[in-house]
């Protein structure tokens, strides 16, 4: 594992990452001054930069590195029939159950999954597997009474009230709805999209025709999605408003197995390219397929709280386009000029949550290291070992002391770099403190202007590397080229070509 956090301390990392995110301007609770809104978060001054860099690494890998993938940006509101056709109005549900004593609501499947996890932890793997199999069987048949009976048979108690005083299990639709139109009686109910994918499907023909796209081809999109999650928890892992980065790849029916494998490999390689250790990635085959899929696997990351889904690779067959054909009464066929065939394309989808990817990135980059300060006192150094292309700030420029001509020279370096990268300038506090303030943000480089810069020949500065803390003298004339090279998104993209 390429992290210097020991395995036992890795599992204790989650609360540290959460408070780090808040303390250093990465993530804030939404409307915090009003005590926040559950499962809704805002990104701060450093979070927004990291998030945009992650988004760019995904977007360019999709659109720039594949000649046959283009991007779109569809509106969040869509014609309500979209969601009838896609199956979300009738089928996008979670089974929920309430405890009558604590008045707390739970996802019935998650209560059973937790019970299975307890069996697993106590070494009873067979019992855990059997329980999950029985639950999946009941959910597949939509047997909600059976699910409740299973919860009762397992004697599962509410963690708050410690009673088994459960209501029946009900399906809870996860879509948020609102009204469009100024006159109440004529207003139309519309949904906040629960996935960005449908914006791609309804534009399939527009893009194919206007772009003269030949199958196989893909359409990528980044945008907000909304789900009224029954249980929203674990920080930005499960949110009610989140961002998805999705790509629908349109293919000839019958070729879905090979393209499914292609995208599984391509996406795993991308995660490695942005710096995620492969040992903390794995594929998980879905036990219960979504209504649209004939195959589905998740890319899971080993978070400090366990393996969790980050991305889904789904073989969606021709389900969505066929449904939209039927509901819109518009043909959504592809005409193959070579064979003369007309067909509804099959689709392989890659779908990753940007917020979950953000959390993954913080978890895998967080480092605590024992060091000794100048006086020999031991202390813990905390830093984010982010890929330089992802780091919110690329370089910090410091005059060694707040005196001329050092300040003027440092300011000149800021001006030389600021059009090309995100630069931070600071002149107060000791140099050690200034380095430490950048380490916690993941700034990969710090540049110090000292008296040698001014007095000695060649105008050199000290360049300090975040992870190794090594320092070297670099000439100001070479600085821009070196930093541009090291912090370019191309250092990620070149691993994918
Ligand atoms: N279009 C397919 C689709 O939406 P999904 O597995 O429901 O598939 C894809 O979602 C990804 O979106 C997940 O792997 C996860 O990263 C992210 N995601 C889903 N629900 C989320 C939530 N409530 N909060 C944050 N991210 C979420």
């Amino acid at each position: 594992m390429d992290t210097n956090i020991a395995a036992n301390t890795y599992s204790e990392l989650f609360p540290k990452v959460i408070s780090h995110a808040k303390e250093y301007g990465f993530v804030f609770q939404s409307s915090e001054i009003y005590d926040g809104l559950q499962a809704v978060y805002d990104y701060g001054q450093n979070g927004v930069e990291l998030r945009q860099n992650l988004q760019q690494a995904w977007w360019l890998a999709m659109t720039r590195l594949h000649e046959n993938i283009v991007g779109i940006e569809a509106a969040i509101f869509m014609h309500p029939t979209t969601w009838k056709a896609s199956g979300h109005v009738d089928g996008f549900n979670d089974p929920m159950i309430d405890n009558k004593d604590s008045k707390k609501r739970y996802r019935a499947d998650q209560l059973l999954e937790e019970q299975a996890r307890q069996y697993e932890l106590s070494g009873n793997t067979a019992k855990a597997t059997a329980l999950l199999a029985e639950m999946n069987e009941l959910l597949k048949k939509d047997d909600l009474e059976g699910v409740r009976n299973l919860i009762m048979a397992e004697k599962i108690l509410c963690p708050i009230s410690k009673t088994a005083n459960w209501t029946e299990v009900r399906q809870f639709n996860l879509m948020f709805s609102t009204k469009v139109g100024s006159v109440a009686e004529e207003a139309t109910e519309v949904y906040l999209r629960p996935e960005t994918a449908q914006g791609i499907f309804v534009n399939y023909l527009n893009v194919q025709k206007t772009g003269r796209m030949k199958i196989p081809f893909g359409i990528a999109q980044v945008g907000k999605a909304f789900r009224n999650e029954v249980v929203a928890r674990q920080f930005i892992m499960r949110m009610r408003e989140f961002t998805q980065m999705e790509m629908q790849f349109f293919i000839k029916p019958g070729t879905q197995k090979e393209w499914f494998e292609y995208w599984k490999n391509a996406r795993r390689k991308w995660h490695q390219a942005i710096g995620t250790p492969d040992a903390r990635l794995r594929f998980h085959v879905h036990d219960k397929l979504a209504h649209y899929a004939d195959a589905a696997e998740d890319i899971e990351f080993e978070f400090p709280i366990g393996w969790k889904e980050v991305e889904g690779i789904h073989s969606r067959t021709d389900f969505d386009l066929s449904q939209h054909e039927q509901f819109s009464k518009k043909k959504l066929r592809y005409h193959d000029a070579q064979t003369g065939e007309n067909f509804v394309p099959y689709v392989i989808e890659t779908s990753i949550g940007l917020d979950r990817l953000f959390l993954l990135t913080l978890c895998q980059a967080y480092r605590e290291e024992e060091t000794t300060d100048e006086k020999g006192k031991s202390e813990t150094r905390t830093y984010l070992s982010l890929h330089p292309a992802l780091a919110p700030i690329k370089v910090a420029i410091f005059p060694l002391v707040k005196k001329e001509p050092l300040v003027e020279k440092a300011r000149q370096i800021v001006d030389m770099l600021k059009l090309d990268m995100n630069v931070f300038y600071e002149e107060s506090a000791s140099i050690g403190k200034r380095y430490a303030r950048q380490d916690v943000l993941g700034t990969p480089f710090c540049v110090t202007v000292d008296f040698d810069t001014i007095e000695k020949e060649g105008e050199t500065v000290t360049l300090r590397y975040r992870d190794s803390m090594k320092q070297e003298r670099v000439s100001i004339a070479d600085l821009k080229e070196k930093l541009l090279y090291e912090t370019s998104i191309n250092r990620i993209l070149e691993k994918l070509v």
Side-chain angles (χ1 to χ4, degrees), residues 195 197 227 229 236-239 242 244 246 292 309-312 314 316 349 351-353 356:
E195 62 169 7
R227 294 183 190 176
E229 298 285 357
I236 55 172
M237 183 83 80
R238 193 168 292 283
M239 301 158 87
F242 57 100
Q244 286 188 317
E246 299 200 298
Y292 51 72
E309 169 191 348
V310 176
E311 172 158 7
H314 309 130
R316 289 183 81 126
E349 165 185 73
S351 173
I352 180 165
R356 232 174 252 192

Side-chain angles (χ1 to χ4, degrees), residues 204-205 208-209 212-217 250-253 321 325 331-346:
Y204 151 76
L205 209 56
Q208 193 271 318
K209 290 234 178 310
R212 289 175 288 114
M213 309 300 289
K214 304 248 179 325
I215 267 176
F217 75 92
F250 299 91
I251 56 171
K252 204 169 167 173
L321 290 182
E325 263 204 343
K331 285 261 174 282
L332 297 174
R333 306 280 156 125
Y334 178 78
H335 175 71
D336 189 329
Q338 270 175 350
T339 62
E341 287 172 275
N342 280 311
F343 57 86
V344 179
Y346 268 41

Side-chain angles (χ1 to χ4, degrees), residues 103-336:
K103 312 266 183 282
K104 285 275 168 204
R105 178 162 292 174
Y106 298 92
R107 262 178 63 178
D109 53 338
Q110 286 178 350
L111 287 177
L112 288 162
E113 278 164 8
E114 179 54 27
Q115 180 81 342
R117 204 175 70 88
Q118 294 304 325
Y119 287 141
E120 188 87 55
L121 287 176
S122 58
N124 206 338
T125 305
K127 213 165 169 187
T129 314
L131 178 59
L132 290 178
E134 193 175 349
M135 176 189 82
N136 285 327
E137 206 43 49
L138 292 166
L139 288 173
K140 227 181 253 169
K141 291 190 289 189
D142 217 12
D143 182 355
L144 299 182
E145 203 184 324
V147 173
R148 182 179 189 273
N149 291 342
L150 194 55
I151 289 173
M152 298 305 279
E154 288 291 328
K155 299 191 174 55
I156 295 175
L157 303 181
C158 164
I160 311 278
S161 68
K162 312 278 184 233
T163 69
N165 196 5
W166 297 111
T167 61
E168 73 275 29
V169 177
R170 278 169 294 158
Q171 289 291 15
F172 176 77
N173 194 288
L174 300 185
M175 283 198 294
F176 286 102
S177 69
T178 185
K179 302 260 190 233
V180 169
S182 52
V183 185
E185 305 79 64
E186 289 166 23
T188 310
E189 185 176 32
V190 292
Y191 298 101
L192 297 186
R193 64 182 177 198
E195 62 169 7
T196 59
Q198 298 304 325
I200 294 179
F201 290 123
V202 298
N203 278 297
Y204 151 76
L205 209 56
N206 286 338
V207 175
Q208 193 271 318
K209 290 234 178 310
T210 57
R212 289 175 288 114
M213 309 300 289
K214 304 248 179 325
I215 267 176
F217 75 92
I219 305 178
Q221 177 170 219
V222 180
K224 288 276 189 177
F226 304 83
R227 294 183 190 176
N228 196 3
E229 298 285 357
V230 178
V231 184
R233 54 180 181 179
Q234 293 161 342
F235 194 40
I236 55 172
M237 183 83 80
R238 193 168 292 283
M239 301 158 87
R240 296 206 164 108
E241 173 183 339
F242 57 100
T243 296
Q244 286 188 317
M245 305 196 288
E246 299 200 298
M247 193 279 300
Q248 312 295 323
F249 199 67
F250 299 91
I251 56 171
K252 204 169 167 173
T255 62
Q256 64 268 34
K257 278 208 170 73
E258 71 194 74
W259 282 116
F260 188 67
E261 284 310 310
Y262 171 89
W263 281 109
K264 269 176 61 185
N265 291 334
R267 294 303 304 145
R268 187 168 191 152
K269 228 169 128 186
W270 181 86
H271 282 278
Q272 292 159 8
I274 63 163
T276 308
D278 197 50
R280 290 221 154 106
L281 291 171
R282 73 177 186 193
F283 283 109
H284 169 77
V285 181
H286 281 208
D287 302 318
K288 181 178 171 253
L289 288 175
H291 56 274
Y292 51 72
D294 76 350
E297 292 191 30
D298 294 333
I299 297 179
E300 292 187 338
F301 174 72
E302 191 182 18
F303 284 90
I305 49 170
W307 290 94
K308 302 274 174 207
E309 169 191 348
V310 176
E311 172 158 7
I313 320 282
H314 309 130
S315 175
R316 289 183 81 126
T317 67
D318 58 357
F319 175 83
D320 301 270
L321 290 182
S322 297
Q323 287 290 102
H324 288 307
E325 263 204 343
Q326 199 189 317
F327 278 75
S328 68
K329 312 224 170 5
K330 308 265 168 27
K331 285 261 174 282
L332 297 174
R333 306 280 156 125
Y334 178 78
H335 175 71
D336 189 329

